[in-house]
Amino acid sequence: CPAQPYQARSSCQARSCRADFAVPGAIVSGADVSGAAVSGAIVSGADVAGADVFGAIVSGADVSGAAVSGAIVSGADVAGADVFGAIVSGADVAGADVFGAIVSGADVSGAAVTGAFVLPGAIVSGTDVSGAAVSGAIVSGADVAGADVFGAIVSGADVSGAAVSGAIVSGADVAGADVF
């Protein structure tokens, strides 16, 4: 891969792209773009660990340790990544910092989910979702203190200080919570 920005819709197939260069509007499939700045690209099945990924469509890729901003992340392993304002669907975001993201059907175990909106049907297990808006999710054994929990199934969780509205709460610590 040349050490210069790709032209729109160019392709980098199964080659190493370790240099620090921008990849705007490229289709990156199965490539190692670790350490690169990937902007507005379609990234499929690639190893983008340690890369800065902005506004990209990331599908089935390993983005561990990457800074993922405003991207659509589907079925990817984003463990240990910083995910800002992204749409995260069906991904393993364990250990990640997820800020302002839409998290749907993802495994966010062990993640710090701050200010995130968790879509209905998401499974939030053993996670700190303090300050998050958790709507229609299944929240099990999580620390949701300070969160807004609406219509969720909350089991064995610490929801102290949370606003719990229309939720099914079972065996949880709801001390100091507002339960509607």
Side-chain angles (χ1 to χ4, degrees):
C1 295
Q4 60 197 20
Y6 284 104
Q7 298 300 317
R9 309 300 292 177
S10 68
S11 178
C12 178
Q13 296 284 338
R15 290 181 279 176
S16 180
C17 306
R18 291 181 181 267
D20 289 328
F21 56 85
V23 186
I27 300 173
V28 183
S29 179
D32 176 3
V33 292
S34 302
V38 182
S39 177
I42 299 173
V43 182
S44 179
D47 176 7
V48 292
D52 294 323
V53 183
F54 303 97
I57 300 172
V58 182
S59 178
D62 175 8
V63 292
S64 304
V68 182
S69 178
I72 299 173
V73 182
S74 178
D77 175 7
V78 292
D82 294 323
V83 183
F84 303 95
I87 299 173
V88 182
S89 178
D92 174 6
V93 292
D97 293 323
V98 183
F99 302 98
I102 299 173
V103 182
S104 177
D107 175 7
V108 290
S109 304
V113 185
T114 307
F117 180 73
V118 182
L119 285 185
I123 300 174
V124 183
S125 179
T127 303
D128 176 5
V129 291
S130 303
V134 183
S135 178
I138 300 172
V139 182
S140 179
D143 175 6
V144 292
D148 295 323
V149 183
F150 303 99
I153 299 173
V154 182
S155 178
D158 174 9
V159 291
S160 304
V164 183
S165 179
I168 300 173
V169 182
S170 175
D173 175 6
V174 292
D178 294 323
V179 183
F180 303 97

